[in-house]
Amino acid sequence: MTTLPFPLPDAPTLYAPLPALSEVQRDEALGGVARIDTPDGGVAYVVTRYADVRTVLVDPRFSRAGAAASTASAADFGLGALATGSIAGMDPPEHTRLRKLVARAFTARRVEQLRPGAAGIVDELIDAMLELPQPADLVEHFSLALPVRVICEMLGVPAGDRAKFHGWSDTLLGGPGSDPRVMGAALRAMGEYFAGLIALKRASPQDDLMTALIAARDEQDKLSEEELVRLSLGILIGGHETTANQITMILLTLRHHPEQDARLRADPSLIPGAVEELMRFVQLGDGATSLPRVATEDVELGGVTIPKGAVVLPALAVANRDPEVYDEPDGLDVTRAELSHLSFGAGVHHCLGAQLARMELQEALRGLFTRMPAVRVAVPDEELRFKQGMIVRSVETLPVTW
């Protein structure tokens, strides 16, 4: 079996999966599975083929709770501090209990009710951008501002507090090798903030998601105080960080596919389907693996026996390029039909905010391509600066002209 280094090396390009992972996926002798020797002397397995990745995500023999409880997992694979004790680090039935409390806020029907408000925010942000000198920073003025405003309004976070969260979020999304003390300090700071905000909303309830969660805590005793804080924290981070970075990476990716870019700009009716294809195609991170699982018994994947207790890393971005599932998987086609992808995960941990993210990305592209039809990235890739140590690609600034 092939053994890969840990941490995985940086990808040589922003626009394709790590070559080593693609080679593992397409090598019949390997069965799509590679081993990683972790710094603590343990062993992890990277799974790369669509069918096997989906199995890891949906099969209860692969435990998120087991991974979140592992010190090695928390320290070495990122997001451990956030996942431990949160909905992201639970298995059913505890996970089911908490997810039910918030799932109704993220249904397709509820998200469609939010669409006009999100479209209004998009237009507001673009109105403001059009008044700026060119080039302007898309990150500051649009791609980060949009999802932050939407999720903060859903939760009921005061407008004046929004700026605090991005630094904390960046820290908690640090990649392998991040200082756990720094991550812990950010987690405590966010927890203290939310504890204070919860106290304020108890005294003055409002029509928002956090007030509804407080009612579930106080009136129905369906979650603990710590769970209430962790849920609010997880929703906030999950509700803005990846969507903001997807917007910037979509524009960068489309620049390298001018025919697809032109087709999408010329026909905005393609946007909903194009968002799915772009979610499949865009490389949001170097390693591009989902949160780890731990095998609760011996399980065979791709002809390889994953031993009980082993950490398993499902490589979503590579699975989304599996030639067994997609015709011309390394090609971008904004008209690709009947598309399924694993960018939002699958199973009980399928992204809670998937419908919200879809809607925000659709409205973001609609606004940019109809209100600013000539919008273009104003610097070459070589001049882009990405935040270091992040598990998702987060560009510091993205100068654009229009």
Side-chain angles (χ1 to χ4, degrees):
M1 174 182 293
T2 292
T3 299
L4 300 177
F6 182 84
L8 295 171
D10 292 341
T13 171
L14 300 175
Y15 307 108
L18 283 169
L21 293 183
S22 295
E23 290 169 12
V24 169
Q25 180 189 75
R26 300 179 188 196
D27 189 329
E28 290 300 324
L30 297 177
V33 180
R35 168 179 166 145
I36 290 179
D37 291 331
T38 59
D40 65 345
V43 175
Y45 294 84
V46 178
V47 180
T48 63
R49 293 181 179 172
Y50 185 102
D52 292 333
V53 167
R54 194 175 189 284
T55 295
V56 173
L57 298 177
V58 305
D59 192 320
R61 293 176 296 174
F62 295 97
S63 168
R64 272 294 305 129
S70 165
T71 301
S73 170
D76 295 337
F77 297 108
L79 275 181
L82 180 59
T84 303
S86 77
I87 191 171
M90 293 179 177
D91 295 332
E94 291 82 2
H95 173 273
T96 308
R97 173 178 60 87
L98 291 184
R99 187 175 176 107
K100 281 183 177 179
L101 293 176
V102 292
R104 69 186 66 179
F106 295 96
T107 63
R109 180 179 178 182
R110 175 59 181 146
V111 167
E112 282 306 305
Q113 293 173 345
L114 297 174
R115 187 183 291 271
I121 294 171
V122 166
D123 286 334
E124 244 183 79
L125 295 172
I126 290 177
D127 286 342
M129 278 192 69
L130 291 172
E131 299 297 320
L132 297 174
Q134 300 185 49
D137 179 15
L138 191 79
V139 173
E140 177 184 357
H141 299 292
F142 186 80
S143 59
L144 180 60
L146 169 63
V148 165
R149 280 187 57 177
V150 170
I151 199 65
C152 283
E153 288 180 10
M154 284 185 70
L155 276 171
V157 173
D161 292 344
R162 294 170 190 160
K164 297 178 181 179
F165 292 106
H166 198 55
W168 289 333
S169 179
D170 278 358
T171 300
L172 289 171
L173 288 172
S178 296
D179 188 336
R181 293 168 298 181
V182 175
M183 295 180 75
L187 188 64
R188 286 190 297 275
M190 288 192 80
E192 290 168 2
Y193 172 84
F194 272 112
L197 186 59
I198 288 166
L200 289 175
K201 289 187 178 292
R202 275 200 174 101
S204 180
Q206 298 176 17
D207 183 19
D208 56 47
L209 178 56
M210 188 176 292
T211 299
L213 291 174
I214 291 170
R217 163 75 184 110
D218 294 350
E219 300 168 17
Q220 303 168 48
D221 198 26
K222 290 186 175 180
L223 70 166
S224 69
E225 192 75 8
E226 181 180 356
E227 288 171 339
L228 175 58
V229 171
R230 290 271 183 160
L231 264 179
S232 302
L233 190 154
I235 290 167
L236 182 69
I237 293 178
H240 84 273
E241 190 76 45
T242 53
T243 303
N245 293 316
Q246 276 284 7
I247 293 170
T248 58
M249 285 302 301
I250 282 172
L251 285 189
L252 288 167
T253 299
L254 286 172
R255 177 168 64 169
H256 290 269
H257 297 269
E259 291 183 3
Q260 299 298 313
D261 188 21
R263 180 178 294 185
L264 187 56
R265 291 173 192 252
D267 185 0
S269 71
L270 296 174
I271 286 175
V275 163
E276 300 306 312
E277 169 69 345
L278 287 160
M279 290 288 295
R280 178 193 76 85
F281 189 81
V282 165
Q283 300 296 299
L284 202 56
D286 277 339
T289 58
S290 177
L291 287 168
R293 272 71 173 165
V294 165
T296 60
E297 60 183 79
D298 290 357
V299 185
E300 184 176 309
L301 292 174
V304 175
T305 298
I306 308 294
K308 178 180 179 179
V311 173
V312 182
L313 298 172
L316 305 187
V318 187
N320 281 338
R321 300 285 188 98
D322 190 337
E324 293 296 317
V325 179
Y326 308 104
D327 293 331
E328 299 184 12
D330 293 320
L332 177 66
D333 180 1
V334 296
T335 66
R336 194 185 292 268
E338 298 182 4
L339 176 69
S340 63
H341 58 76
L342 294 172
S343 299
F344 291 120
V348 297
H349 284 285
H350 181 268
C351 177
L352 188 65
Q355 295 297 339
L356 183 65
R358 285 186 169 103
M359 182 271 285
E360 289 177 358
L361 291 172
Q362 291 166 11
E363 291 304 316
L365 294 184
R366 175 202 61 80
L368 290 172
F369 291 164
T370 59
R371 298 284 311 282
M372 306 170 75
V375 65
R376 291 287 187 275
V377 179
V379 296
D381 286 354
E382 295 74 27
E383 294 183 17
L384 296 172
R385 296 191 308 277
F386 289 85
K387 296 172 185 175
Q388 298 300 304
M390 298 281 285
I391 62 171
V392 294
R393 285 198 173 99
S394 182
V395 67
E396 291 182 1
T397 61
L398 190 68
V400 296
T401 59
W402 53 88

